[in-house]
C-alpha cells in the first residue's frame, strides 16, 4: 500500500488538513494518484518542485486545476548537494534564484 493512502486515512481520522507536496512521490503514476487523494484535504497550500526524471509537474498542475485547487503553490527550488552524484533529468543547479525561476516559469505556463 502506498504511504499516501495511510497518511490520508490518518488525516481524515484526525480531522486535520494536508500540505500536499506534489513532488514527494516516487513516480508519475503514484504522484497523480496521491495528489488526487491528498489535494482535496489541503490546508490551502501545496509544495511544488521539479524533477522530470521522477515526476511530471505539468501533469500535476493540470490535475490540481481539474480538482479545483485554488490555493497557494510554495516553490521548493533546492540546490543539489555538490558532492552527490548528478541525478539524470534534475534541472536544479547551484543557484537557488535560478532554481526558483525555473519552477515559477513552469507554474505560470501550466496554470
Amino acid at each position: 500500500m502506498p504511504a499516501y493512502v495511510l497518511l490520508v486515512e490518518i488525516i481524515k481520522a484526525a480531522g486535520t488538513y494536508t500540505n500536499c507536496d506534489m513532488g514527494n512521490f516516487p513516480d508519475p503514476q503514484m504522484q497523480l494518484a496521491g495528489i488526487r487523494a491528498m489535494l482535496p484535504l489541503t490546508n490551502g497550500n501545496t509544495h511544488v518542485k521539479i524533477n522530470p526524471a521522477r515526476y511530471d509537474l505539468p501533469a500535476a498542475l493540470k490535475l490540481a486545476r481539474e480538482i479545483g485547487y485554488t490555493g497557494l503553490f510554495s516553490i521548493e527550488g533546492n540546490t543539489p548537494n555538490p558532492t552527490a552524484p548528478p541525478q539524470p533529468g534534475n534541472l536544479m543547479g547551484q543557484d537557488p534564484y535560478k532554481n526558483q525561476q525555473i519552477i515559477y516559469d513552469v507554474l505560470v505556463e501550466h496554470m
Side-chain angles (χ1 to χ4, degrees):
M1 170 174 32
Y4 74 84
V5 174
L6 178 59
L7 183 57
V8 166
E9 289 177 14
I10 292 168
I11 289 167
K12 287 180 178 179
T16 190
Y17 301 97
T18 181
N19 184 343
C20 181
D21 186 337
M22 292 187 166
N24 203 14
F25 298 95
D27 60 56
Q29 294 77 23
M30 196 167 302
Q31 175 196 32
L32 296 179
I35 290 170
R36 193 171 282 111
M38 295 179 77
L39 204 54
L41 306 173
T42 185
N43 64 355
N45 186 47
T46 185
H47 293 300
V48 291
K49 49 191 165 218
I50 193 164
N51 184 347
R54 186 169 161 202
Y55 45 82
D56 188 347
L57 181 55
L61 294 171
K62 179 181 177 196
L63 177 58
R65 255 192 340 271
E66 290 170 2
I67 290 172
Y69 179 72
T70 59
L72 302 174
F73 291 94
S74 174
I75 295 174
E76 290 185 39
N78 301 333
T79 60
N81 179 345
T83 62
Q87 294 180 350
N90 187 358
L91 302 178
M92 298 293 93
Q94 293 302 316
D95 184 337
Y97 298 104
K98 286 182 182 176
N99 294 346
Q100 297 290 320
Q101 189 65 53
I102 290 168
I103 297 168
Y104 176 80
D105 291 345
V106 173
L107 279 168
V108 170
E109 182 180 348
H110 295 282
M111 288 188 1

